Amino acid sequence: MTTRVIAVGGADAAAARLAACLGGTVCPLAQRRFPDGEHYLRVLGAVEGADVVLVAHLHPVDPLLVDIVFLADALRELGARQVGLVVPYLAYMRQDRRFQPGEAVTSVSFARLLSRSVDWLATVDPHLHRHAALSAIYSVPALAVPSAPAIARWIRAEVPDAVVVGPDEESGQWVDEVARLAGCPGITGRKLRHGDRSVEIAWPALQPWRGRPAVLVDDIVSSGQTLVTALQGLGAQGLQAAACVVVHGLFAQDAAQRLQEAGASRLVVCNTLPQAGLPLIDVLGDLAEAAARLIAPRQG
Ligand code: R5P
């Protein structure tokens, strides 16, 4: 049984790690754009009869979707036994409902597109809020690896007396689990989003936690506005933010700088996306274990 791991769109480090964990090898890929922008892809290794795992950092996502669909098709034609997809960050999960009439519910459409292309999918903490589970929208087997154990280990080691704080109700699922595993109290605010960069957060009474270091935990930082507003709210109630821990650091435009200016002295992210210069919490080992569980049933 041969496992070949292919890095799509430059996910080379993650692909090498996955290949090592899975006891497989990296299969090289040639990819470039034609002068008109269309995608050229060429699988450079033997994949006939192999269990192939595509690995991609889905940020920015749209060009990678095209690569994944084309590659999965090509790999089947080349005789791959199965084509799985490991995406440490699963994009397009936040538009999980038609908030305004006429909007595309992109989480569902994206799931349909991927489910038609790959045999299975593994990811880390997708933004499951209005969709209860990946199986609600993905028709292929899909595993969501929790980052809470790794984040809790980090908190226990670095800020053992923390109060774990989530900025909104969505973050409650991560905050509760991280707090439980770290043996710390956990609280969440209630967020009202007025626009991409305009949010309000209402907090429960925070007096009981004054004097304890707060660790803000959220699944995604994009514009950074949620965490900036949370830092301001905590500060106004006399809570000192010791760190912000984020699962998926998208850091759109000047988000990292705005967070620093708002007092996020210690910003830590999980290694689901390539990051420059930030401390990382490793979740790729757990992701490889999930991939192994998904590969096995198709090996016959
Ligand atoms: C949504 O509710 C997510 O959990 C994050 O809080 C959100 O995506 C963060 O986005 P931003 O950094 O743009 O405020």
Side-chain angles (χ1 to χ4, degrees), residues 5-266:
V5 182
I6 298 182
V8 187
D12 299 275
R17 175 85 183 279
L18 261 286
C21 294
L22 294 171
T25 51
V26 170
C27 175
L29 177 75
Q31 50 186 144
R32 66 179 181 86
R33 295 290 182 95
F34 288 106
D36 56 12
E38 291 184 3
H39 295 219
Y40 172 88
L41 296 154
R42 183 179 172 205
V43 178
L44 293 173
V47 292
E48 194 171 352
D51 304 310
V52 179
V53 180
L54 302 175
V55 184
H57 292 299
L58 295 185
H59 179 64
V61 54
D62 294 351
L64 293 171
L65 174 63
V66 174
D67 286 342
I68 290 164
V69 169
F70 288 162
L71 269 174
D73 224 18
L75 287 161
R76 290 224 169 72
E77 287 167 16
L78 295 168
R81 177 161 56 174
Q82 61 176 299
V83 182
L85 178 64
V86 171
V87 282
Y89 165 65
L90 182 57
Y92 277 122
M93 286 298 288
R94 282 169 291 174
Q95 185 77 28
D96 54 6
R97 156 183 141 194
R98 187 164 288 114
F99 298 97
Q100 304 288 335
E103 283 179 350
V105 185
T106 48
S107 55
V108 173
S109 303
F110 190 70
R112 277 191 199 128
L113 281 169
L114 285 184
S115 296
R116 278 183 212 132
S117 282
V118 298
D119 294 309
W120 54 260
L121 172 137
T123 189
V124 176
D125 276 337
H127 186 84
L128 289 170
H129 182 42
R130 290 170 191 91
H131 301 307
L134 285 176
S135 58
I137 51 173
Y138 281 81
S139 57
V140 291
L143 280 183
V145 171
S147 61
I151 293 177
R153 275 195 299 277
W154 185 89
I155 291 178
R156 276 205 307 271
E158 300 290 329
V159 197
D161 54 342
V163 51
V164 182
V165 181
D168 51 26
E169 285 152 326
E170 281 114 302
S171 65
Q173 54 185 302
W174 296 284
V175 167
D176 291 349
E177 186 61 357
V178 167
R180 188 183 70 78
L181 293 171
C184 299
I187 49 171
T188 48
R190 274 192 20 249
K191 180 169 78 180
L192 194 59
R193 188 179 278 283
H194 302 296
D196 287 345
R197 282 172 179 261
S198 168
V199 302
E200 239 178 277
I201 301 177
W203 295 102
L206 298 176
Q207 292 90 332
W209 314 115
R210 275 194 191 145
R212 272 182 94 146
V215 174
L216 265 164
V217 175
D218 203 2
D219 64 329
I220 296 175
V221 61
S222 175
S223 72
Q225 193 58 49
T226 298
L227 287 183
V228 166
T229 307
L231 286 163
Q232 289 163 348
L234 294 182
Q237 290 209 46
L239 232 72
Q240 189 72 33
C244 295
V245 181
V246 175
V247 183
H248 308 293
L250 303 179
F251 296 109
Q253 292 99 38
D254 56 350
Q257 189 191 330
R258 293 176 64 240
L259 277 163
Q260 266 172 10
E261 286 167 6
S265 48
R266 210 166 172 198

